[in-house]
Every structure is written in structure tokens, then in C-alpha cells.
Amino acid sequence: KQDGLGGANPLKPRAFRKEIQKSLDSAGVEKFDFVYFFACLMGATEVLDAFDGLCDVLYGNPEILWGYQFRERFKYIETLLNNPDIDNIELAKIEVENYKNADGSIGMHCAYDMLKYGAFKIAFNKFTDDLLAEYKKNSGLISAARRNTTPYWIKRIEELKKSTDFIDLAHFAEILSINATGKLKESSQALLDSVRDMIISKHVGI
């Protein structure tokens, strides 16, 4: 999210990708088994896109990261050290379970199967095309769905009903899959299915 300089010089996802790819090429390594982000909003779609092909599993928070109970959150490292040959997907399930135990009912956290990102991207692009076509009709459907979608980056309860720059994509697609018709209804459901398929395990709190 930023380079350690107090956020003065943000490091964008594509900049991450460029430097990581250089390191992988230099070391003769194809990709990482997993990439783990302990920062806000690093489980967002644009981050997944930037890390496509760089890892098999990506851990990230699509919402605000609540920074406490670090020992519980990183217990999965003990599992990895004790069993270095553990299956990557099984490790992801353990990691998210540890996260749940640390966080209680607060925050959101996901482990993504990046081998399924390609199918998600196809569904996302089709959804985007149909979404824009519906928006041009000025039917009000898109605005209503956007307004009722779970918002992210809310810092105070007073901001709960205000517009935000970040929303839950799966919830947005779910609302449209119920209320839209025709192509948008179909592509919304397809996108929702692809999101569910890509998520290995998740913690959804408040």
C-alpha cells in the first residue's frame, strides 16, 4: 500500500509486480507458492490482477486491516515450519482459521486460489461490459445496487450511509443477480460464482 514513508509515496500494485518479477527472473524462479499481505485493501480486484501469475495463493484483506493479535494471525507459519511439505490449499485453510480465532467477529480476510484467477477475469470483463450497457439506460438499477452494497474503508459509524470509493464486489454482483434481468443478470451470477470458486477460505466479520 505504501513504501514505509508515511504514505507519501504510494507503491501501486503494478509497481509491486514489476519488481517482484525482476527478482523471480533473476533467481530463475517461476512464481511463489503464496504471497501474504498484512495491509488494508490488499485483497482487492486490482491487486489480484497485478499478482496474476506471480503466486499460487494470495492472502489479503479486501477491507480495513485491524492490527492486533499478531501471534494468532501468524500461527500458520508454525504449521509451515513443522510441515514444510504441506499442501498449499490446506495451509490456506489453516491460515484463515487462525485468522478467525484471532479476529473474533472483526474485519475481513481471504485466501485466494490464483490458479482460478483467469476464469474470474473473464467473468469480470463480461460483467463490466454488461454493467456499462445497463448504466447507459439510466434505469437507476446500478445506482440503487451500488448504494445498498457493503461499503469498505468505513472508519466511523457515522460514515456508514455515505458513499465510499470501495465496495464489496461479490455483494454488488449478488444484488444485481437478484434484481437485474437479461445479460446483466447472467453475468452477475457468473461473476459471483467465479468469486466463490476462487476463494479458498474467508473470514467475514463486522
Side-chain angles (χ1 to χ4, degrees):
K1 187 66 173 161
Q2 50 91 22
D3 61 2
L5 300 177
N9 296 287
L11 188 59
K12 303 296 184 181
R14 284 289 165 181
F16 266 118
R17 180 183 183 88
K18 180 179 179 181
E19 297 307 318
I20 290 175
Q21 190 65 65
K22 282 182 182 178
S23 298
L24 290 173
D25 292 343
S26 177
V29 175
E30 181 184 359
K31 57 183 175 179
F32 293 112
D33 287 337
F34 65 85
V35 169
Y36 191 106
F37 281 112
F38 194 70
C40 299
L41 303 173
M42 296 305 283
T45 304
E46 55 268 40
V47 177
L48 297 182
D49 187 67
F51 280 79
D52 180 27
L54 295 184
C55 58
D56 288 334
V57 173
L58 187 141
Y59 299 92
N61 293 52
E63 227 265 273
I64 293 175
L65 172 72
W66 300 92
Y68 60 90
Q69 296 193 27
F70 299 106
R71 180 172 176 79
E72 287 295 322
R73 289 183 176 184
F74 294 117
K75 280 183 68 177
Y76 79 97
I77 295 177
E78 295 180 12
T79 302
L80 183 58
L81 291 174
N82 292 330
N83 186 7
D85 295 323
I86 188 172
D87 178 74
N88 213 11
I89 301 299
E90 186 62 29
L91 178 64
K93 294 176 181 177
I94 291 172
E95 188 278 336
V96 174
E97 189 62 31
N98 290 340
Y99 200 99
K100 290 179 183 178
N101 294 335
D103 247 5
S105 62
I106 299 175
M108 182 174 288
H109 181 70
C110 292
Y112 301 94
D113 185 347
M114 294 300 288
L115 298 180
K116 296 181 178 180
Y117 178 78
F120 163 80
K121 188 172 183 177
I122 292 172
F124 180 78
N125 287 338
K126 179 65 169 62
F127 169 77
T128 301
D129 290 342
D130 293 340
L131 185 71
L132 290 173
E134 180 65 31
Y135 180 76
K136 290 177 181 179
K137 296 179 183 178
N138 295 316
S139 65
L141 172 65
I142 306 303
S143 297
R146 171 69 175 78
R147 188 166 55 252
N148 286 281
T149 298
T150 301
Y152 287 158
W153 204 246
I154 299 296
K155 300 178 182 179
R156 296 186 303 274
I157 192 66
E158 294 81 9
E159 299 176 358
L160 195 57
K161 288 298 182 179
K162 294 182 179 179
S163 297
T164 63
D165 292 332
F166 305 95
I167 59 171
D168 188 282
L169 177 62
H171 190 204
F172 185 50
E174 182 180 23
I175 292 174
L176 290 172
S177 71
I178 296 170
N179 295 284
T181 59
K183 291 183 179 180
L184 181 58
K185 183 179 183 69
E186 294 175 2
S187 60
S188 296
Q189 186 60 56
L191 176 62
L192 184 59
D193 291 342
S194 71
V195 170
R196 288 170 173 166
D197 191 44
M198 185 170 56
I199 294 175
I200 301 165
S201 188
K202 63 183 179 181
H203 168 54
V204 180
I206 57 173

